[in-house]
Amino acid sequence: MNKLNVAMIGYGFMGRAHSNAWRQVRSFFDVSYEPVLKVICGRNETEVKRVANHFDWQEYATEWENVVNRNDVDVVDICSPGYTHAPIALAAAKAGKILFCEKPLANTLAEAEEMLKAAQDYKCVHMICHNYRRAPAVSLARQLIESGKLGNIYHYRATYLQDWLRNPESPTRWRLNKAEAGSGALGDLFSHSVDLARYLIGEISELSAMLKTFVDKRPVRNCNEMANVDVDDAALALLKFQNGAIGSIEATRYASGRKNYNRFEINGSKGSVAFNLERMNELEFYSDEGPNSGFKTIQATDPVHPYMKGWWPPGHIIGYEHTFTHTVLELLQAIADKRPASPNFEDGVKNQRILDAVERSAISREWQTV
Ligand SMILES: NC(=O)c1ccc[n+]([C@@H]2O[C@H](COP(=O)([O-])OP(=O)(O)OC[C@H]3O[C@@H](n4cnc5c(N)ncnc54)[C@H](O)[C@@H]3O)[C@@H](O)[C@H]2O)c1
């Protein structure tokens, strides 16, 4: 089997999720390429060494500039904050690496476009990590829509609700600083609902949106200073799709009691589907053809359901981390089949155009064309 040496930048939340995914994919799925956990990179030497040992990375490094163009690296997996995505991806593209980047693709539309152009110019395989596409129940929803079971699609209604930021005493961090994160709930949560909208319904043509920051100053950790918060805490938009459907997305970090409530409902002329990440093995399905009125719950854990052949017997449910394993699987299969990965940097740019239109609409208070 061909080996594929992976270099990962960032060892935080996503660094750990991706480390796990690269390890799991080779154990549970038949892949033509075997990922090798070659080198993990982070700025704090003690911490990166600890994570490297924990996940069996062969080496660790503290400067990404020394890693992304190494001859013994095939894939550069970008798991660091938004402001680092463009410089790392541009350097890795120049070195002809396979590019795998966390979402949102970049902090601005211009940066995202530059990343796509570099990936194309240097003929790199490229992929963005919108992992929720790869929850089996979400992929099943797409199969049902594609097969016509829902008929013409009228509505996409998405909410992505968290509550970890409600406490105004909670200190600032990179996610609350525009220069580092690009935006707040918009790039963090809303972008996932945009990706699911594009995956399940199609392209968004116009939108009207608002952004809200509830707490605009927060303490700096371990000192007596306050820092400005210059990103949104919540993002809300009305959508028009090219195919005539209409929709809405609400994303917030202030929905008391909601932890990772990533939900959508889609209504068509013949049926509906609804999904909630907090019950991610299930898809609610309504069909006019069904014997009963009302929704039924499909437990998407049978071997016929997307990705489930690799895992356990029916009813033995899987979890959040498996969405990353399936995303990495998609990348490995795309490499083997010599086809574009999905979603890729082109999707990342299209997503970023929508985030950009949200920001324009929030300022102008008018509908914006995407
Ligand atoms: N797909 C998802 O569902 C999902 C979920 C959370 C975060 N993300 C995305 O993943 C990325 C990272 O987020 P996170 O939650 O893991 O953040 P985090 O704060 O937990 O980790 C960030 C890591 O990047 C490292 N880092 C920062 N600057 C660096 C630099 N210049 N060079 C090398 N390493 C650097 C930090 O040391 C840390 O290890 C972001 O783009 C975020 O939007 C995606």
Side-chain angles (χ1 to χ4, degrees):
M1 192 192 297
N2 295 318
K3 305 239 187 233
L4 213 56
N5 288 338
V6 180
M8 179 177 294
I9 319 301
Y11 55 75
F13 177 23
M14 281 304 106
R16 286 177 289 130
H18 288 215
S19 296
N20 182 61
W22 287 114
R23 285 157 53 114
Q24 257 188 0
V25 76
R26 64 187 185 201
S27 310
F28 285 88
F29 292 91
D30 287 330
V31 285
S32 344
Y33 287 93
E34 187 195 350
V36 176
L37 280 70
K38 189 75 190 166
V39 52
I40 184 166
C41 176
R43 291 166 305 176
N44 180 319
E45 186 165 0
T46 314
E47 269 305 295
V48 74
K49 189 175 173 185
R50 191 182 65 80
V51 177
N53 285 336
H54 205 71
F55 285 96
D56 289 331
W57 286 89
Q58 290 180 0
E59 297 171 40
Y60 66 87
T62 52
E63 284 176 19
W64 64 260
E65 291 87 345
N66 297 336
V67 165
V68 296
N69 50 11
R70 271 172 53 162
N71 286 336
D72 58 353
V73 163
D74 302 301
V75 181
V76 173
D77 182 357
I78 306 171
C79 291
S80 41
Y83 76 97
T84 65
H85 291 190
I88 296 171
L90 294 179
K94 227 176 188 174
K97 305 303 181 194
I98 295 163
L99 309 171
F100 184 42
C101 185
E102 260 306 338
K103 45 57 57 177
L105 190 57
N107 276 4
T108 65
L109 177 57
E111 276 177 2
E113 285 171 341
E114 208 184 340
M115 289 165 73
L116 172 61
K117 185 171 181 311
Q120 289 169 336
D121 286 353
Y122 292 101
K123 302 194 178 359
C124 303
V125 175
H126 47 93
M127 185 172 190
I128 179 170
C129 184
H130 275 295
N131 49 304
Y132 296 129
R133 287 185 181 206
R134 308 290 162 203
V138 173
S139 295
L140 175 63
R142 170 146 154 152
Q143 288 177 355
L144 291 169
I145 293 167
E146 280 188 331
S147 72
K149 287 247 189 278
L150 269 59
N152 295 330
I153 303 301
Y154 296 136
H155 292 289
Y156 174 76
R157 203 171 297 112
T159 49
Y160 199 152
L161 314 177
Q162 298 185 344
D163 73 354
W164 57 274
L165 205 52
R166 281 171 307 154
N167 178 1
E169 302 304 321
S170 175
T172 191
R173 58 201 80 188
W174 72 262
R175 287 174 174 285
L176 305 181
N177 177 8
K178 192 172 174 63
E180 289 174 284
S183 63
L186 181 65
D188 186 18
L189 308 177
F190 191 101
S191 68
H192 273 307
S193 298
V194 166
D195 184 67
L196 292 177
R198 294 187 55 254
Y199 179 58
L200 296 165
I201 313 289
E203 295 302 338
I204 294 165
S205 52
E206 278 179 79
L207 59 81
S208 170
M210 65 168 132
L211 297 171
K212 176 76 183 170
T213 304
F214 295 109
V215 175
D216 61 8
K217 278 195 175 28
R218 283 182 178 270
V220 179
R221 205 181 289 274
N222 301 330
C223 79
N224 266 343
E225 285 171 25
M226 298 292 280
N228 288 332
V229 174
D230 54 0
V231 299
D232 57 286
D233 292 327
L236 194 57
L238 299 177
L239 315 170
K240 293 183 196 173
F241 289 83
Q242 282 177 6
N243 62 10
I246 59 173
S248 60
I249 300 177
E250 180 183 10
T252 177
R253 293 158 164 175
Y254 280 68
S256 300
R258 297 297 185 195
K259 302 303 171 187
N260 200 27
Y261 191 87
N262 175 6
R263 185 178 189 278
F264 63 77
E265 178 166 316
I266 296 167
N267 312 117
S269 56
K270 296 201 292 195
S272 297
V273 288
F275 170 82
N276 175 5
L277 185 75
E278 291 182 349
R279 302 185 67 90
M280 64 162 274
N281 288 272
E282 298 173 359
L283 184 69
E284 290 181 75
F285 176 52
Y286 169 82
S287 169
D288 286 343
E289 291 165 11
N292 314 308
S293 59
F295 281 79
K296 69 176 180 184
T297 302
I298 301 169
Q299 196 174 64
T301 58
D302 279 28
V304 294
H305 292 131
Y307 307 108
M308 287 312 294
K309 235 191 242 166
W311 300 107
W312 320 112
H316 295 67
I317 55 176
I318 59 165
Y320 173 69
E321 71 273 26
H322 298 91
T323 63
F324 295 95
T325 307
H326 302 159
T327 305
V328 163
L329 176 66
E330 160 62 26
L331 176 60
L332 295 179
Q333 286 174 341
I335 295 166
D337 298 347
K338 299 193 187 326
R339 60 169 170 81
S342 174
N344 54 42
F345 282 17
E346 223 170 305
D347 295 288
V349 167
K350 286 180 178 165
N351 195 312
Q352 205 99 30
R353 280 200 187 113
I354 294 160
L355 307 187
D356 188 69
V358 166
E359 289 184 324
R360 283 189 275 118
S361 177
I363 292 168
S364 68
R365 298 174 160 217
E366 288 174 351
W367 281 82
Q368 295 289 330
T369 306
V370 173

